[in-house]
């Protein structure tokens, strides 16, 4: 008897702790789903800028991303910062002389 009462209390306590966060999530979803209402006054349309800004804003980051080890950070850098070969970059830099000369093409003055 006592054991079943304790189980019931634990279940109700867990539900009570989860309920406010569930309600907050539902309220946030309803707020995001609500349409932005534009008003027309004396023939002039007034858009709901604050609502549009809220809808277009990026989602807030919950927490800062953990710092990466140095090797992982270096691995994620773009290729041009790692001095890796890039065929398109070389073609752009060499111009018409690509494949014909080691001296880059320079426009006439």
């Amino acid at each position: 008897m006592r054991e079943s009462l304790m189980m019931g209390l634990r279940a109700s306590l867990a539900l009570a702790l989860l309920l406010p966060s569930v309600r907050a999530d539902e309220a946030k979803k309803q707020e995001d789903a609500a349409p932005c209402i534009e008003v027309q006054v004396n023939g002039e349309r007034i858009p709901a800028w604050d609502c549009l800004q809220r809808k277009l804003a990026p989602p807030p980051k919950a927490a800062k991303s953990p710092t990466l080890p140095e090797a992982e950070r270096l691995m994620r850098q773009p290729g041009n910062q790692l001095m890796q070969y890039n065929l398109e970059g070389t073609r752009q830099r060499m111009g018409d002389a690509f494949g014909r000369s080691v001296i880059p093409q320079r426009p006439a003055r």
Side-chain angles (χ1 to χ4, degrees):
M1 174 76 178
R2 184 175 182 195
E3 190 173 304
S4 64
L5 180 63
M6 290 298 285
M7 292 292 281
L9 286 174
R10 285 184 185 159
S12 63
L13 180 61
L15 183 61
L17 290 174
L18 291 175
L19 200 55
S21 64
V22 171
R23 286 184 184 161
D25 290 342
E26 288 177 5
K28 181 72 173 159
K29 285 179 186 177
Q30 287 177 352
E31 183 180 308
D32 289 343
C36 295
I37 299 172
E38 293 184 357
V39 179
Q40 188 168 356
V41 178
N42 295 333
E44 183 181 347
R45 295 186 86 184
I46 302 170
W49 293 114
D50 58 336
C51 177
L52 293 172
Q53 285 290 334
R54 222 176 19 255
K55 286 189 180 273
L56 294 175
K61 291 187 177 182
K64 234 182 181 179
S65 60
T67 57
L68 299 172
E70 184 67 18
E72 183 75 19
R73 189 187 61 76
L74 285 173
M75 233 171 54
R76 293 186 181 195
Q77 283 184 339
N80 61 348
Q81 290 181 4
L82 295 173
M83 303 300 287
Q84 289 179 338
Y85 173 74
N86 184 333
L87 179 63
E88 291 303 316
T90 304
R91 282 188 176 150
Q92 175 72 26
R93 186 172 62 252
M94 294 299 289
D96 289 343
F98 183 72
R100 292 186 289 144
S101 174
V102 295
I103 301 170
Q105 172 201 7
R106 297 288 183 249
R109 290 185 179 213

